[in-house]
Amino acid sequence: MESDNQTASVTEFILLGLSAHPKLEKTFFVLILSMYLVILLGNGVLILVTVSVSCLHTPMYFFLGNLSFLDICYTTSSVPLILDSFLTPRKTIHFSACAVQMFLSFAMGATECVLLGMMAFDRYVAICNPLRYPVVMNKTVYVPMAACSWAAGGAASMVQTSLAMKLPFCGNNIINHFTCEILAVMKLACVDISINVISMGVTNVIFLGVPVLFIFVSYIFILTTILRIPSAEGRKKAFSTCFAHLTVVVVFYGTILFMYGKPKSKDPLGRDKQDLSDKLISLFYGVVTPMLNPIIYSLRNKDVKAAVRNLVSQKCFTQ
């Protein structure tokens, strides 16, 4: 009963964000808003193209449409809250709203990890077993694969969010972040959070480590197969079908490693600077990767470029 009373005492959280740097807030408001609009436009166009153009009704573009929708959901779960915090003096969020935002952000992140693994499998089958590709990657296979990605991410987020929000909070409600980042929220609890940290670690291994390993192994087989192609033109064409996915994987996981792998400063002044740096890196990670994905997939992709042109003219191109 005492734990319930302690939890009920916290009805809202205060998000620090850039409160200590008010001069930066207006600048970052314009910058983040511009990037958010680019995300909505770029990913929205990709979804429209992959749905409307029948020539792109293939597993690869089905997964790409899911990735674009996921990126829109991921940024929408946090960016409006961040933009609002840049304009309002009191940066608060209700306890229940914090739980919803935490759930959505975690779910989208976990789903993207699994989805990138599914996309690697699609490229593996396309390159290593091209004759069996239509059989292996038919609609009854790739649709459930995408659905499982969403279900797995949602289930993992539900577990972690429930564990975090059931913790007793004894009055300290200041989150040193732009959003309700789950670890930042758990640190406010007035009890031992070892179980939560262990649970989070296991989830990270499953949703980060396993997909990375799967992608790595898939690309070993893919590269081995590509190197066996006798003609340089054939090798180039085969690799070009994997280039966009591989680039997205490197950007996605590379940013995560950079965020959590750099050493912590022990100097108090250094810690303050690093705290600002960590928050800005986290902020841009949440918008840069979703903004780059449609650019990466359309920049070197002749099918997408042609589909956009033909969507405008209402004619489908011939592959």
Side-chain angles (χ1 to χ4, degrees):
M1 180 67 68
E2 182 181 356
S3 176
D4 292 338
N5 291 335
Q6 288 174 330
T7 304
S9 65
V10 175
T11 59
E12 64 180 18
F13 292 103
I14 299 173
L15 303 168
L16 287 185
L18 290 176
S19 299
H21 307 274
K23 293 182 180 179
L24 294 176
E25 291 186 322
K26 298 297 185 291
T27 302
F28 278 102
F29 174 83
V30 175
L31 183 60
I32 299 302
L33 176 60
S34 301
M35 297 173 75
Y36 181 52
L37 294 176
V38 172
I39 289 168
L40 295 179
L41 177 63
N43 287 287
V45 169
L46 270 182
I47 293 172
L48 179 63
V49 167
T50 56
V51 170
S52 303
V53 180
S54 60
C55 304
L56 298 184
H57 291 175
T58 64
M60 183 176 78
Y61 293 109
F62 175 77
F63 287 128
L64 177 57
N66 274 262
L67 183 64
S68 294
F69 180 67
L70 189 151
D71 283 338
I72 290 176
C73 293
Y74 178 73
T75 51
T76 302
S77 71
S78 58
V79 171
L81 176 64
I82 295 170
L83 293 174
D84 180 66
S85 72
F86 287 151
L87 298 178
T88 54
R90 183 166 175 78
K91 311 168 195 304
T92 60
I93 181 171
H94 194 272
F95 189 90
S96 57
C98 181
V100 172
Q101 191 268 315
M102 187 190 305
F103 167 79
L104 291 174
S105 294
F106 194 98
M108 297 305 107
T111 301
E112 183 158 358
C113 291
V114 180
L115 191 62
L116 288 174
M118 299 292 188
M119 295 172 76
F121 177 74
D122 172 70
R123 292 299 84 206
Y124 161 75
V125 178
I127 299 298
C128 299
N129 297 283
L131 297 179
R132 288 177 51 81
Y133 183 72
V135 177
V136 175
M137 294 300 295
N138 61 69
K139 195 170 184 178
T140 59
V141 174
Y142 66 77
V143 172
M145 285 172 65
C148 286
S149 300
W150 286 91
S157 181
M158 180 64 73
V159 171
Q160 296 305 322
T161 302
S162 298
L163 289 175
M165 301 315 284
K166 285 181 179 178
L167 291 169
F169 299 97
C170 309
N172 183 11
N173 65 339
I174 300 176
I175 301 175
N176 189 21
H177 211 277
F178 292 102
T179 62
C180 289
E181 200 269 336
I182 191 165
L183 287 175
V185 173
M186 287 196 299
K187 289 177 182 178
L188 300 180
C190 52
V191 294
D192 182 34
I193 60 172
S194 299
I195 299 299
N196 298 73
V197 172
I198 292 171
S199 175
M200 182 70 69
V202 172
T203 301
N204 287 341
V205 169
I206 295 173
F207 284 88
L208 285 174
V210 173
V212 166
L213 181 61
F214 184 79
I215 292 168
F216 179 73
V217 172
S218 297
Y219 272 98
I220 288 178
F221 285 108
I222 289 171
L223 290 175
T224 302
T225 302
I226 290 176
L227 292 174
R228 289 175 182 169
I229 299 175
S231 68
E233 185 63 29
R235 289 194 296 270
K236 182 180 178 180
K237 185 177 180 180
F239 183 73
S240 67
T241 65
C242 305
F243 175 81
H245 175 257
L246 188 58
T247 304
V248 169
V249 168
V250 171
V251 171
F252 181 77
Y253 286 105
T255 310
I256 292 176
L257 288 175
F258 178 76
M259 280 171 53
Y260 296 104
K262 55 190 178 66
K264 302 294 182 183
S265 174
K266 295 182 179 179
D267 177 64
L269 183 59
R271 276 201 301 268
D272 291 338
K273 291 181 178 179
Q274 187 178 54
D275 179 60
L276 175 61
S277 173
D278 288 346
K279 286 195 284 188
L280 291 179
I281 291 171
S282 175
L283 173 64
F284 280 102
Y285 165 74
V287 291
V288 169
T289 304
M291 185 181 71
L292 288 178
N293 285 350
I295 297 173
I296 292 170
Y297 270 99
S298 60
L299 196 62
R300 291 170 58 98
N301 194 310
K302 295 179 180 178
D303 289 350
V304 173
K305 290 179 181 178
V308 172
R309 287 195 299 267
N310 286 298
L311 185 62
V312 175
S313 62
Q314 297 298 312
K315 294 179 182 179
C316 187
F317 68 95
T318 303
Q319 289 182 318

